[in-house]
Amino acid sequence: MTERNSTEQQPTIYNPIIWRLELQKSEKPSRDTYIKAFGELPDFVLKANQILTSNLEGNSQKLLNHYREVFKAIQKWIVHFEKQSHDSSLSDPPELRFSWECDFKPHAEESWALLNLCQEIVKLAPLYGQDFLKVTSATELWWSCHFERLQETFFKNGIFSKQPELQGKQYSCDVMSKRLRKDFDTLHQRKFADSSQFDLTKIATWDATEEALRMLAEDIAQQDNEFRRLIYFNYIKIKKRVVRSARNNPNLQLMVLEPDGSVHVGGKGKRGKGKNPSQSKKGFVKKSKD
C-alpha cells in the first residue's frame, strides 16, 4: 500500500484484478444481470477459488448458508433501491421491513452508494488522466469490490483457511470507523504528486479494486469540489453509518470457524483483537437461531 505523509502522496502503481461476472452465453452482462447475480455472490466466490460446496461439511456449510441468505437479503434491498431511483414515492416493502432482512438494509445502502460512486469515478476519471477505466464498467468495479470483500472474509472466518483471524465485532468496527474518518478528514493534507502517473499495476492486498477506487476518488476529490461534497462525502457518510449500525446491532455477529470445526462468535471475550487491526473488514452474518 501507499505510504502516506502529511504533505504529499506519491502515486502508487496498482494492478487490481477486476473480478467480473462470468456467465455462459453472456459476453458482457448488463447492469441488471450484475444486480440479480449479487444474491449468488458466495457461490461465485467459491467457484472462483475452486471450492466445491459438496466438500463443505458441518459448521462450514452452516456458515456458508448464512452468507447465502444474507446476500440474497441485500440483493432484495438493492433491487428495491433501483426501483426507488425511478419512483421516489415507493416505500420499503413490508416483507423486507418487518423481517430479519431489515438488519441488512444498511449494508445494501452502502452497496448502493458504492455503485453510484463507481459510476461517477468511471465518468470522471478520464477527465483527470485515468484512461484505464474506459475498458471497465461501473458494475464490474462494484462487483469486484464485493467479490474481494467476501473472498477476504472467507479466508478470515475459516471457510477457506484453517488459520482464521479472530476479531471482536465492536473493536473491528471502531477501527474501521476511525480509519474512514481519518482518511476523509486528512484528504487535503495528502496531495498527490502527479495523478497522471497513476498506472494501477501493482498492489498486494485482498481489496485491490476497492483500494484503487479509494485512491482515484481521493485524487478526483482534491481536484473536483462538487464530486468531493456531493458524491464522495455522501459515500463516506453512509459507510460510517453502516459500520456504526453493525457495531450496535446485537442481531449481527462476527462468526469464525475454529480449526477443530467449532464456531467462535466475535465480541464475546478478550479474543477480539486481531494482529493487524488496520486491515479489519466487515464479515457479518445474521444471528443464528441454532
Side-chain angles (χ1 to χ4, degrees):
M1 277 190 192
T2 307
E3 183 178 349
R4 302 175 185 175
N5 57 47
S6 59
T7 57
E8 186 177 87
Q9 186 173 2
Q10 295 293 329
T12 299
I13 298 177
Y14 293 118
N15 186 19
I17 299 174
I18 305 301
W19 296 92
R20 294 178 170 89
L21 177 61
E22 295 183 0
L23 299 173
Q24 292 182 348
K25 301 179 181 179
S26 179
E27 294 183 2
K28 193 173 180 66
S30 66
R31 172 191 170 96
D32 288 343
T33 301
Y34 266 101
I35 291 176
K36 183 178 180 180
F38 187 83
E40 308 296 329
L41 185 60
D43 289 285
F44 281 104
V45 173
L46 259 65
K47 182 178 179 181
N49 285 269
Q50 299 181 335
I51 304 293
L52 299 176
T53 56
S54 58
N55 292 338
L56 298 179
E57 301 176 347
N59 286 327
S60 295
Q61 186 66 51
K62 282 186 177 182
L63 190 55
L64 172 63
N65 288 338
H66 279 309
Y67 278 95
R68 284 170 167 166
E69 292 180 11
V70 165
F71 274 82
K72 287 177 181 177
I74 295 175
Q75 188 263 350
K76 291 177 183 178
W77 279 110
I78 293 174
V79 169
H80 171 60
F81 296 153
E82 178 85 340
K83 292 178 180 178
Q84 274 190 328
S85 68
H86 301 291
D87 183 359
S88 59
S89 66
L90 288 178
S91 58
D92 292 348
E95 63 270 21
L96 292 178
R97 185 179 178 185
F98 300 109
S99 72
W100 65 268
E101 292 167 314
C102 190
D103 287 327
F104 290 93
K105 181 181 179 180
H107 291 76
E109 290 174 334
E110 189 273 336
S111 179
W112 181 251
L114 175 62
L115 179 55
N116 291 329
L117 177 66
C118 289
Q119 290 175 331
E120 291 298 319
I121 289 177
V122 168
K123 180 175 67 177
L124 294 175
L127 302 179
Y128 297 99
Q130 304 303 330
D131 292 336
F132 83 100
L133 286 178
K134 289 182 178 180
V135 297
T136 304
S137 70
T139 46
E140 287 173 344
L141 292 174
W142 172 76
W143 175 272
S144 190
C145 286
H146 281 295
F147 185 101
E148 289 171 345
R149 287 180 186 179
L150 187 57
Q151 181 174 247
E152 179 187 25
T153 295
F154 282 175
F155 273 99
K156 288 189 172 184
N157 69 12
I159 290 180
F160 284 176
S161 172
K162 297 299 183 183
Q163 295 180 322
E165 295 185 20
L166 303 177
Q167 293 180 330
K169 184 182 75 168
Q170 292 185 356
Y171 179 83
S172 177
C173 289
D174 288 345
V175 169
M176 197 183 309
S177 294
K178 183 178 180 180
R179 187 174 70 244
L180 286 168
R181 183 170 59 252
K182 180 180 179 182
D183 281 348
F184 192 83
D185 290 347
T186 62
L187 181 60
H188 286 292
Q189 300 173 23
R190 296 180 282 107
K191 297 293 184 182
F192 292 96
D194 184 359
S195 62
S196 65
Q197 296 177 27
F198 276 151
D199 201 13
L200 297 181
T201 53
K202 194 188 296 181
I203 182 170
T205 67
W206 288 111
D207 52 350
T209 306
E210 192 160 6
E211 179 67 3
L213 281 172
R214 183 185 67 80
M215 295 290 287
L216 286 169
E218 289 190 352
D219 181 43
I220 296 172
Q222 289 175 352
Q223 303 174 72
D224 189 323
N225 188 52
E226 184 176 356
F227 171 83
R228 181 182 62 83
R229 290 187 300 104
L230 301 181
I231 305 299
Y232 195 47
F233 174 73
N234 183 60
Y235 173 69
I236 296 299
K237 181 175 67 174
I238 291 174
K239 195 165 185 176
K240 288 194 295 186
R241 186 173 72 234
V242 172
V243 174
R244 185 167 60 250
S245 172
R247 182 192 189 280
N248 298 328
N249 189 339
N251 293 326
L252 301 182
Q253 303 172 335
L254 282 170
M255 299 173 66
V256 174
L257 293 169
E258 299 275 17
D260 63 1
S262 62
V263 176
H264 169 79
V265 180
K268 288 192 172 183
K270 296 182 179 180
R271 304 177 66 185
K273 294 186 178 181
K275 293 181 179 180
N276 190 2
S278 65
Q279 295 299 311
S280 62
K281 289 285 191 290
K282 298 189 294 297
F284 305 116
V285 296
K286 65 187 181 69
K287 189 173 182 179
S288 174
K289 296 180 180 180
D290 296 338

